[in-house]
Amino acid sequence: MEAGYVGVLAVVLRTNDNSPWTDEFDKIELSCLIESISTSNPRIEWKKITNEGPSYVYFEKKISGDLENRAVIREPATLLITNATRSDTAKYRCEVTAADDQKSFDEIVIDLVVRVKPVVPKCSVPKSVPFGKSAELSCVEEEGFPKSHYQWFKNREEIPDDPKTSLKFFNSSYTLNSETGTLKFVAVRKEDAGEYYCRAKNDAGYAECPPQQMEIYDIDVVGIVLGVLVVVVVLLCITAGICCAYKRGFFSSQKQTGNNYKVPAKGDGVDYVRTEDEAGEGDVVTGGGDMWDCAPCCLTRALPHFTL
């Protein structure tokens, strides 16, 4: 249809590239070429189209909006961005109105992508993991555009997505997600110990985090059991001491002294044995015994679920 307008009064536009791209801070040209026109002074406008709607970037022969001081118009209608930023990623529409032409209006839409190199990703690597336990390594980078994909390296050798494709990693039990940056081990082995780092990359470049060491250690089951036994023995000793102290009256609320204690009268037919407090000099006190003599009784009461 456009070819049919060339021989008559009609404005016809074309572009050299309707999907250009550039790296951040570089220049980029959005070409808008007029193939046919009769009007000597057409009206040229550029609009930036985003989710919020269209906005002018070139209107009444002036650059405005986001591109002010960062763009120029090359005759007749091409837009040159001299210092592209990530916010310039959008669709741009070139509109030409020619009042003296029979087909007085035409437009073209250009989809611009400004690529942003990734920054150094944030990596998380556990310092030490018990043998046979699971482990998860993470890598996150959110500045790059397009969205970054991830690679993991161990001792400076790339870890393949599938461990079965490499002899070095064939026995490893991991899963690697290149889109989220997670490296998960189901059960680590001694061979999994080493230096790990991650690389975030996209079409604009890549960035890496510093290497981090992951150690694999054995769980000392015997040591843990012995430690628990020592704690149990200590608690039993403390409990026995407290029980004996209660039995001997060390925690009595009112201490009985010689001034306020009265010896009860002896009943008929009852033998009375004096305690240590009642005994005078030269008297022999019976029934003292060692503190451990009371331990079985006290422990039986304090720990009813243990068999002594």
Side-chain angles (χ1 to χ4, degrees), residues 12 18 21 75-76 119 147 161 174 183 191 199 239 264 300:
V12 178
N18 57 8
W21 60 266
E75 294 293 339
V119 298
K147 180 178 172 61
D161 291 344
Y174 68 80
L183 174 62
E191 294 81 358
R199 173 184 294 171
T239 304
T300 303

PDB file of all heavy atoms in Angstrom, residues 12 18 21 75-76 119 147 161 174 183 191 199 239 264 300:
ATOM      1  N   VAL A  12       5.456   8.912   3.517  1.00  0.00           N
ATOM      2  CA  VAL A  12       5.775   7.498   3.790  1.00  0.00           C
ATOM      3  C   VAL A  12       7.070   7.447   4.595  1.00  0.00           C
ATOM      4  O   VAL A  12       8.077   8.056   4.199  1.00  0.00           O
ATOM      5  CB  VAL A  12       5.920   6.693   2.486  1.00  0.00           C
ATOM      6  CG1 VAL A  12       6.300   5.244   2.804  1.00  0.00           C
ATOM      7  CG2 VAL A  12       4.637   6.748   1.679  1.00  0.00           C
ATOM      8  N   ASN A  18      13.947  -1.570  13.542  1.00  0.00           N
ATOM      9  CA  ASN A  18      12.826  -1.310  14.462  1.00  0.00           C
ATOM     10  C   ASN A  18      13.008  -1.965  15.831  1.00  0.00           C
ATOM     11  O   ASN A  18      12.138  -1.850  16.694  1.00  0.00           O
ATOM     12  CB  ASN A  18      11.500  -1.776  13.845  1.00  0.00           C
ATOM     13  CG  ASN A  18      11.526  -3.247  13.477  1.00  0.00           C
ATOM     14  OD1 ASN A  18      12.464  -3.979  13.807  1.00  0.00           O
ATOM     15  ND2 ASN A  18      10.496  -3.685  12.761  1.00  0.00           N
ATOM     16  N   TRP A  21      19.366  -2.010  19.892  1.00  0.00           N
ATOM     17  CA  TRP A  21      19.808  -2.139  21.272  1.00  0.00           C
ATOM     18  C   TRP A  21      21.160  -1.459  21.440  1.00  0.00           C
ATOM     19  O   TRP A  21      21.893  -1.247  20.469  1.00  0.00           O
ATOM     20  CB  TRP A  21      19.919  -3.604  21.691  1.00  0.00           C
ATOM     21  CG  TRP A  21      20.884  -4.419  20.877  1.00  0.00           C
ATOM     22  CD1 TRP A  21      20.580  -5.187  19.789  1.00  0.00           C
ATOM     23  CD2 TRP A  21      22.301  -4.512  21.068  1.00  0.00           C
ATOM     24  NE1 TRP A  21      21.725  -5.762  19.278  1.00  0.00           N
ATOM     25  CE2 TRP A  21      22.797  -5.367  20.052  1.00  0.00           C
ATOM     26  CE3 TRP A  21      23.196  -3.972  21.972  1.00  0.00           C
ATOM     27  CZ2 TRP A  21      24.154  -5.678  19.933  1.00  0.00           C
ATOM     28  CZ3 TRP A  21      24.545  -4.275  21.863  1.00  0.00           C
ATOM     29  CH2 TRP A  21      25.013  -5.125  20.860  1.00  0.00           C
ATOM     30  N   GLU A  75      18.466  15.446  10.744  1.00  0.00           N
ATOM     31  CA  GLU A  75      17.516  15.673   9.650  1.00  0.00           C
ATOM     32  C   GLU A  75      17.364  14.426   8.782  1.00  0.00           C
ATOM     33  O   GLU A  75      18.350  13.724   8.507  1.00  0.00           O
ATOM     34  CB  GLU A  75      17.990  16.854   8.789  1.00  0.00           C
ATOM     35  CG  GLU A  75      17.980  18.180   9.513  1.00  0.00           C
ATOM     36  CD  GLU A  75      16.576  18.646   9.867  1.00  0.00           C
ATOM     37  OE1 GLU A  75      15.609  18.157   9.218  1.00  0.00           O
ATOM     38  OE2 GLU A  75      16.437  19.470  10.774  1.00  0.00           O
ATOM     39  N   PRO A  76      16.148  14.141   8.364  1.00  0.00           N
ATOM     40  CA  PRO A  76      14.976  14.971   8.688  1.00  0.00           C
ATOM     41  C   PRO A  76      14.293  14.619  10.013  1.00  0.00           C
ATOM     42  O   PRO A  76      13.731  15.487  10.665  1.00  0.00           O
ATOM     43  CB  PRO A  76      14.054  14.704   7.511  1.00  0.00           C
ATOM     44  CG  PRO A  76      14.349  13.281   7.130  1.00  0.00           C
ATOM     45  CD  PRO A  76      15.825  13.081   7.363  1.00  0.00           C
ATOM     46  N   VAL A 119      26.095  -6.170  38.100  1.00  0.00           N
ATOM     47  CA  VAL A 119      27.035  -5.776  39.145  1.00  0.00           C
ATOM     48  C   VAL A 119      27.489  -7.038  39.871  1.00  0.00           C
ATOM     49  O   VAL A 119      27.017  -8.144  39.592  1.00  0.00           O
ATOM     50  CB  VAL A 119      26.382  -4.783  40.130  1.00  0.00           C
ATOM     51  CG1 VAL A 119      25.977  -3.509  39.408  1.00  0.00           C
ATOM     52  CG2 VAL A 119      25.177  -5.406  40.823  1.00  0.00           C
ATOM     53  N   LYS A 147      17.664  -9.695  32.399  1.00  0.00           N
ATOM     54  CA  LYS A 147      17.867 -10.407  33.651  1.00  0.00           C
ATOM     55  C   LYS A 147      19.051 -11.365  33.557  1.00  0.00           C
ATOM     56  O   LYS A 147      19.231 -12.065  32.567  1.00  0.00           O
ATOM     57  CB  LYS A 147      16.595 -11.186  34.006  1.00  0.00           C
ATOM     58  CG  LYS A 147      16.686 -11.966  35.307  1.00  0.00           C
ATOM     59  CD  LYS A 147      15.372 -12.654  35.590  1.00  0.00           C
ATOM     60  CE  LYS A 147      15.483 -13.603  36.773  1.00  0.00           C
ATOM     61  NZ  LYS A 147      15.864 -12.918  38.008  1.00  0.00           N
ATOM     62  N   ASP A 161      25.406 -27.892  34.652  1.00  0.00           N
ATOM     63  CA  ASP A 161      24.018 -27.941  35.119  1.00  0.00           C
ATOM     64  C   ASP A 161      23.629 -29.352  35.543  1.00  0.00           C
ATOM     65  O   ASP A 161      22.888 -29.535  36.517  1.00  0.00           O
ATOM     66  CB  ASP A 161      23.068 -27.452  34.016  1.00  0.00           C
ATOM     67  CG  ASP A 161      23.227 -25.959  33.751  1.00  0.00           C
ATOM     68  OD1 ASP A 161      23.820 -25.265  34.596  1.00  0.00           O
ATOM     69  OD2 ASP A 161      22.772 -25.494  32.692  1.00  0.00           O
ATOM     70  N   TYR A 174      23.760 -32.809  43.365  1.00  0.00           N
ATOM     71  CA  TYR A 174      23.327 -31.420  43.432  1.00  0.00           C
ATOM     72  C   TYR A 174      22.371 -31.109  42.287  1.00  0.00           C
ATOM     73  O   TYR A 174      22.297 -31.815  41.287  1.00  0.00           O
ATOM     74  CB  TYR A 174      24.527 -30.473  43.377  1.00  0.00           C
ATOM     75  CG  TYR A 174      25.257 -30.443  42.054  1.00  0.00           C
ATOM     76  CD1 TYR A 174      24.774 -29.706  40.977  1.00  0.00           C
ATOM     77  CD2 TYR A 174      26.447 -31.148  41.878  1.00  0.00           C
ATOM     78  CE1 TYR A 174      25.425 -29.689  39.761  1.00  0.00           C
ATOM     79  CE2 TYR A 174      27.113 -31.129  40.662  1.00  0.00           C
ATOM     80  CZ  TYR A 174      26.597 -30.395  39.611  1.00  0.00           C
ATOM     81  OH  TYR A 174      27.250 -30.373  38.407  1.00  0.00           O
ATOM     82  N   LEU A 183      22.376 -23.345  44.109  1.00  0.00           N
ATOM     83  CA  LEU A 183      23.090 -24.608  43.946  1.00  0.00           C
ATOM     84  C   LEU A 183      22.817 -25.425  45.205  1.00  0.00           C
ATOM     85  O   LEU A 183      23.275 -25.064  46.294  1.00  0.00           O
ATOM     86  CB  LEU A 183      24.586 -24.362  43.773  1.00  0.00           C
ATOM     87  CG  LEU A 183      25.500 -25.592  43.724  1.00  0.00           C
ATOM     88  CD1 LEU A 183      25.154 -26.480  42.541  1.00  0.00           C
ATOM     89  CD2 LEU A 183      26.963 -25.168  43.673  1.00  0.00           C
ATOM     90  N   GLU A 191      34.400 -34.852  48.746  1.00  0.00           N
ATOM     91  CA  GLU A 191      34.870 -34.274  47.495  1.00  0.00           C
ATOM     92  C   GLU A 191      34.201 -32.946  47.159  1.00  0.00           C
ATOM     93  O   GLU A 191      34.660 -32.217  46.269  1.00  0.00           O
ATOM     94  CB  GLU A 191      34.643 -35.264  46.338  1.00  0.00           C
ATOM     95  CG  GLU A 191      35.480 -36.536  46.419  1.00  0.00           C
ATOM     96  CD  GLU A 191      34.891 -37.570  47.371  1.00  0.00           C
ATOM     97  OE1 GLU A 191      33.844 -37.267  47.985  1.00  0.00           O
ATOM     98  OE2 GLU A 191      35.465 -38.663  47.490  1.00  0.00           O
ATOM     99  N   ARG A 199      29.016 -16.518  38.966  1.00  0.00           N
ATOM    100  CA  ARG A 199      29.096 -15.515  37.901  1.00  0.00           C
ATOM    101  C   ARG A 199      27.690 -15.189  37.415  1.00  0.00           C
ATOM    102  O   ARG A 199      26.925 -16.089  37.059  1.00  0.00           O
ATOM    103  CB  ARG A 199      29.935 -16.024  36.733  1.00  0.00           C
ATOM    104  CG  ARG A 199      29.936 -15.103  35.518  1.00  0.00           C
ATOM    105  CD  ARG A 199      30.708 -15.713  34.367  1.00  0.00           C
ATOM    106  NE  ARG A 199      32.138 -15.826  34.673  1.00  0.00           N
ATOM    107  CZ  ARG A 199      33.013 -16.472  33.912  1.00  0.00           C
ATOM    108  NH1 ARG A 199      32.598 -17.075  32.800  1.00  0.00           N
ATOM    109  NH2 ARG A 199      34.278 -16.520  34.251  1.00  0.00           N
ATOM    110  N   THR A 239      21.627 -33.352  92.064  1.00  0.00           N
ATOM    111  CA  THR A 239      20.335 -33.719  92.662  1.00  0.00           C
ATOM    112  C   THR A 239      20.521 -34.470  93.971  1.00  0.00           C
ATOM    113  O   THR A 239      19.817 -34.213  94.957  1.00  0.00           O
ATOM    114  CB  THR A 239      19.540 -34.589  91.668  1.00  0.00           C
ATOM    115  OG1 THR A 239      19.398 -33.892  90.437  1.00  0.00           O
ATOM    116  CG2 THR A 239      18.168 -34.913  92.227  1.00  0.00           C
ATOM    117  N   PRO A 264      11.906 -32.815 124.133  1.00  0.00           N
ATOM    118  CA  PRO A 264      10.620 -33.409 124.549  1.00  0.00           C
ATOM    119  C   PRO A 264      10.844 -34.443 125.645  1.00  0.00           C
ATOM    120  O   PRO A 264      11.900 -35.059 125.748  1.00  0.00           O
ATOM    121  CB  PRO A 264      10.111 -34.044 123.257  1.00  0.00           C
ATOM    122  CG  PRO A 264      11.327 -34.280 122.427  1.00  0.00           C
ATOM    123  CD  PRO A 264      12.282 -33.205 122.764  1.00  0.00           C
ATOM    124  N   THR A 300      15.404 -41.508  94.538  1.00  0.00           N
ATOM    125  CA  THR A 300      14.200 -42.261  94.196  1.00  0.00           C
ATOM    126  C   THR A 300      12.979 -41.356  94.234  1.00  0.00           C
ATOM    127  O   THR A 300      12.070 -41.455  93.432  1.00  0.00           O
ATOM    128  CB  THR A 300      14.011 -43.440  95.162  1.00  0.00           C
ATOM    129  OG1 THR A 300      15.172 -44.251  95.108  1.00  0.00           O
ATOM    130  CG2 THR A 300      12.798 -44.269  94.773  1.00  0.00           C
TER     131      THR A 300
END
